Amino acid sequence: MRVKNDIVIDIETMGTDDDARIVSIGALIFNPAGDVEKDSLPRLEIFLDHGSQVNRRVDPGTMVWWEKTAGEEARKRAFSTDVTRVSLEDALAQLRAFYRKHTPNNSWACAPDFDMGILENAYKSIGENFPTQFWRYRDVRTIEDFVFKGNQRKPGGVAYVGGVAHDALDDCIMEAKVVQLAYKKLHK
């Protein structure tokens, strides 16, 4: 039986509320029965222009977290001026087009109520709906805890494949790896 492709989404933000300003969006199409390290996977990485989000909030505590906890490489990537940044509307249009092109079955995130919740709010702010239904949301942390009893995306974990923590696309790759390893373990 062929397993349909899913999507994993990760966002980096300047806050934790639904109306938080979005720094970047990562998305990765993957097959839960595949291997993220070997497969050539469609991916999307979008950096947002902070000035285009004047109606979205910046939380001072989150900005302190970015400064003190996130790590220098994550901070550089999130706030770099060397990348092309697009407006919120353009970013959401790109994500919608990515969904339409690849028609994923399920939408994974580490806490869908965070990533998808903020994205749902952003789509609502421009008069649109998130490009999939809420019943297609899946939680990476839940399956990770159920199958592996803890975070496997850190160095030493079975899903750690390198990259930079708190980089939206790098996080997507490790989150997809968790789902794939869990799928294989549960379908032995």
Side-chain angles (χ1 to χ4, degrees):
M1 177 179 101
R2 184 177 186 281
V3 177
K4 289 183 76 172
N5 284 342
D6 287 351
I7 189 171
V8 63
I9 294 176
D10 189 83
I11 64 173
E12 300 303 330
T13 65
M14 294 184 188
T16 57
D17 291 327
D18 284 350
D19 62 348
R21 201 169 284 186
I22 302 169
V23 174
S24 60
I25 301 171
L28 178 75
I29 300 295
F30 73 103
N31 186 311
D35 186 337
V36 75
E37 292 180 273
K38 294 179 182 170
D39 299 340
S40 176
L41 304 168
R43 53 191 69 202
L44 178 69
E45 186 169 35
I46 309 166
F47 295 93
L48 284 82
D49 172 38
H50 310 149
S52 72
Q53 302 178 67
V54 293
N55 293 326
R56 301 191 68 78
R57 269 198 275 186
V58 175
D59 172 57
T62 301
M63 297 312 291
V64 168
W65 176 87
W66 273 108
E67 187 58 37
K68 296 189 179 213
T69 309
E72 184 178 348
E73 189 61 30
R75 214 173 20 263
K76 276 186 199 174
R77 288 190 187 188
F79 299 100
S80 173
T81 56
D82 295 335
V83 297
T84 301
R85 294 194 176 271
V86 299
S87 69
L88 177 65
E89 291 81 6
D90 287 347
L92 297 177
Q94 286 181 43
L95 183 58
R96 178 177 300 289
F98 193 71
Y99 260 93
R100 284 187 178 146
K101 179 178 180 180
H102 299 290
T103 62
N105 187 40
N106 294 313
S107 296
W108 292 86
C110 267
D113 51 337
F114 178 79
D115 298 90
M116 274 59 147
I118 291 172
L119 288 168
E120 283 175 354
N121 180 283
Y123 274 104
K124 186 185 245 183
S125 77
I126 63 166
E128 295 183 19
N129 293 320
F130 191 73
T132 193
Q133 302 83 8
F134 71 89
W135 61 85
R136 297 256 181 225
Y137 296 172
R138 302 293 184 266
D139 192 333
V140 173
R141 282 191 181 113
T142 300
I143 193 130
E144 183 176 45
D145 193 50
F146 180 74
V147 174
F148 302 109
K149 310 286 188 251
N151 185 342
Q152 297 299 306
R153 294 163 281 119
K154 293 182 177 182
V158 296
Y160 182 72
V161 294
V164 175
H166 309 297
D167 172 83
L169 189 55
D170 285 355
D171 286 353
C172 283
I173 293 166
M174 284 188 276
E175 291 163 21
K177 185 74 174 178
V178 166
V179 174
Q180 290 174 331
L181 291 170
Y183 183 91
K184 287 174 183 153
K185 192 167 185 174
L186 294 170
H187 290 88
K188 281 184 179 179

